[in-house]
Amino acid sequence: MANEKILLIEDDPAIRRAVELCLKKEMMLVTSVTNGIDALQIVQDTSFDLILLDLMIPGIDGFELISRIRNLNIYTPLLIISGKEEEHNKILALGLGADDYLTKPFSFHLLISKVKAFVRRMNQYAQTTNNTAVTIGPFRFQPDTMRFYKNEIPVELTSKELKLLMVFIQNPNRVFTKEQLYQMVWNETVVDDNTIMVYIKRLRQKLEDDAKSPKYIKTVWGIGYQFLTEEKA
């Protein structure tokens, strides 16, 4: 794992230098910007393997920047590093399209482990050798391009949304507990119920005809969730 391209969006000079040093020690290529306006421009001109974003930045704040990046159909994994520790900030950031949230002050060992996990998963997706499309009901997943379709219309997904959806489509009709999903997608054993609910809600909004009456991603009360095939939906 080396030469991964990381975009760091952080206006605090001390934190920016420390994170840059940490990532560069891992042989990663770091591009740093200090405000949302420059960040928005560079993500349109350059592709990255991961974006690290502080929410409290000048120009365009972090929440608005997440929304604008996703509205541009840029689905690079996005990890928030923020001093905002309130739960509603985390839920809002995830709801707008962030993939994970790390609260300051944080351990640099934890930061590096999260960065490596994101990059490793993206590399695994890119290197998949099975290019056979998976079709379930109106849905089709194309492994070689990592694209997902409903009725042959592309569905834009963030990396975490795609990871969660892949668990479902590879195991149709199987019931997963929240603990199982959190461990498989987030690689953590301590479950964050709000995170699971945010991502299930986002997938339903993108996949279901009526997100309030889901036909495919069903809640199994007291247990967890399952992805139903059209035959059983």
Side-chain angles (χ1 to χ4, degrees):
M1 182 178 293
N3 298 323
E4 290 81 9
K5 296 171 64 177
I6 311 296
L7 175 61
L8 172 61
I9 309 167
E10 170 63 73
D11 67 323
D12 186 302
I15 295 177
R16 187 172 65 253
R17 286 194 295 268
V19 173
E20 285 177 349
L21 181 61
C22 245
L23 296 174
K24 288 177 179 179
K25 282 184 177 179
E26 299 294 329
M27 305 303 292
M28 298 180 184
L29 305 176
V30 185
T31 299
S32 297
V33 295
T34 60
N35 63 80
I37 296 173
D38 289 344
L40 189 61
Q41 183 60 54
I42 199 169
V43 296
Q44 296 178 75
D45 297 335
T46 308
S47 62
F48 295 93
D49 296 300
L50 178 67
I51 298 171
L52 299 178
L53 169 63
D54 180 18
L55 293 175
M56 299 297 292
I57 52 174
I60 302 172
D61 72 31
F63 293 114
E64 178 66 18
L65 185 58
I66 297 170
S67 180
R68 292 198 189 187
I69 288 173
R70 295 315 190 208
N71 286 339
L72 289 169
N73 294 330
I74 298 170
Y75 291 96
T76 305
L78 204 160
L79 171 60
I80 301 299
I81 49 173
S82 175
K84 287 180 170 290
E85 61 183 10
E86 297 85 0
E87 188 174 61
H88 68 271
N89 288 312
K90 180 177 181 180
I91 293 172
L92 176 57
L94 294 174
L96 289 171
D99 293 286
D100 205 348
Y101 196 107
L102 191 57
T103 303
K104 300 175 183 176
F106 49 78
S107 157
F108 284 107
H109 291 294
L110 178 58
L111 173 65
I112 291 299
S113 69
K114 284 183 175 291
V115 169
K116 286 184 175 180
F118 272 114
V119 172
R120 183 171 57 250
R121 287 196 292 270
M122 294 306 292
N123 287 341
Q124 288 171 345
Y125 296 156
Q127 295 170 5
T128 181
T129 57
N130 180 11
N131 293 329
T132 303
V134 178
T135 302
I136 299 177
F139 305 109
R140 178 170 64 87
F141 174 62
Q142 193 66 45
D144 55 344
T145 59
M146 300 304 295
R147 297 302 302 271
F148 194 82
Y149 302 83
K150 179 181 179 182
N151 296 322
E152 296 306 314
I153 298 173
V155 179
E156 300 297 343
L157 299 168
T158 67
S159 62
K160 271 292 195 303
E161 291 169 351
L162 181 59
K163 177 73 172 178
L164 179 58
L165 186 55
M166 286 179 68
V167 172
F168 283 134
I169 65 176
Q170 290 171 352
N171 301 274
N173 304 314
R174 175 179 169 182
V175 177
F176 288 95
T177 66
K178 292 179 180 179
E179 290 79 4
Q180 288 172 323
L181 291 175
Y182 208 69
Q183 186 169 11
M184 296 171 76
V185 177
W186 283 266
N187 294 323
E188 297 179 16
T189 56
V190 179
V191 178
D192 185 331
D193 284 347
N194 284 325
T195 297
I196 292 287
M197 289 188 291
V198 165
Y199 276 87
I200 291 294
K201 180 180 179 180
R202 281 165 49 175
L203 281 183
R204 283 173 171 164
Q205 289 172 337
K206 293 183 178 185
L207 302 182
E208 302 281 358
D209 295 326
D210 182 357
K212 294 182 179 180
S213 300
K215 180 180 179 182
Y216 297 100
I217 303 177
K218 303 289 287 186
T219 299
V220 181
W221 296 107
I223 302 178
Y225 303 95
Q226 70 178 145
F227 187 82
L228 296 182
T229 62
E230 190 173 35
E231 292 77 15
K232 294 191 176 184

